[in-house]
Amino acid sequence: MFDSTAAALRVQVLQTARLTVRHFERADAAFILELLNVPSWLQYIGDKDIKTLDDAERYIQDVLLAMYARLGFGLYLVEATESGEPLGMCGLVKREKLPDVDLGFAFLSRFWGHGYAYESAAAVVSHAKMRLGLDRLVAITLPTNQAASKLLRKLGFVFERMLAATASGEELMLYSIAPAAGDLGA
């Protein structure tokens, strides 16, 4: 159930027709534990070695909250506005190996096919341009992740080039976009 007291303390970043996009907080550890261990996360993003609630709390503190503090943006929790139920994550990452800010997203499979990834990602792209002043965004994905590639193209990203192999030996596809001015739900 939605906790209005906790919600009052939350940092909301974006609101769309159906979704609230907000900062993660330590109380989201159970969701992080679930999301980072679903088969699609492990296959396409990789094992972050988050096996307990304590691991998930550390990940939130050391990775997600640290990124907000360092950069002013990061990966955000995407939740259904009506129920407050967490659906996935979507946001911006600045990786050392990429010169540009990277769009990232992942959703629990039971929420696939409802347009949540597109709705939240379109809002994040608009936010990146309008509020953060970013002129260019990139996104990376494995060639085998056809759903991610399809979503990126729908958002207006174009394939740019292949990137050097990952630690596991797989090459990554690099997509890019110069966000257009306008309001996509931010």
Side-chain angles (χ1 to χ4, degrees):
M1 188 66 199
F2 187 69
D3 181 352
S4 60
T5 305
L9 303 174
R10 292 185 172 148
V11 178
Q12 180 178 313
V13 179
L14 300 165
Q15 183 86 37
T16 70
R18 303 178 295 164
L19 305 173
T20 299
V21 179
R22 66 168 175 82
H23 282 197
F24 276 95
E25 53 196 40
R26 290 181 65 128
D28 299 316
F31 175 72
I32 284 291
L33 180 62
E34 180 182 7
L35 182 65
L36 274 61
N37 286 288
V38 296
S40 59
W41 181 285
L42 296 170
Q43 179 181 2
Y44 296 122
I45 299 171
D47 189 347
K48 303 291 186 192
D49 199 32
I50 307 298
K51 307 299 181 207
T52 67
L53 281 175
D54 285 343
D55 293 340
E57 285 182 10
R58 267 192 303 282
Y59 180 83
I60 290 168
Q61 184 67 43
D62 297 347
V63 176
L64 302 173
L65 299 182
M67 195 177 309
Y68 305 149
R70 189 174 72 252
L71 302 172
F73 59 79
L75 291 166
Y76 307 116
L77 181 100
V78 178
E79 61 188 11
T81 300
E82 272 191 35
S83 67
E85 182 176 13
L87 310 173
M89 70 166 51
C90 184
L92 303 168
V93 179
K94 180 60 186 96
R95 300 176 199 276
E96 285 183 29
K97 295 182 180 187
L98 292 175
D100 300 297
V101 174
D102 176 15
L103 174 70
F105 48 86
F107 286 78
L108 295 174
S109 60
R110 66 182 174 270
F111 300 115
W112 294 358
H114 299 281
Y116 299 136
Y118 176 79
E119 188 175 327
S120 60
V124 167
V125 168
S126 179
H127 175 77
K129 175 66 175 176
M130 303 304 293
R131 297 205 182 127
L132 301 177
L134 298 175
D135 293 326
R136 175 179 151 88
L137 293 176
V138 297
I140 54 174
T141 187
L142 289 168
T144 54
N145 192 345
Q146 295 177 6
S149 292
K150 181 179 177 182
L151 176 59
L152 291 169
R153 289 190 303 272
K154 184 175 179 181
L155 289 164
F157 282 77
V158 294
F159 173 73
E160 194 170 286
R161 62 185 161 88
M162 296 301 288
L163 290 178
T166 64
S168 64
E170 297 176 279
E171 285 191 310
L172 293 168
M173 298 175 75
L174 176 73
Y175 287 85
S176 65
I177 188 173
D183 184 8
L184 295 175

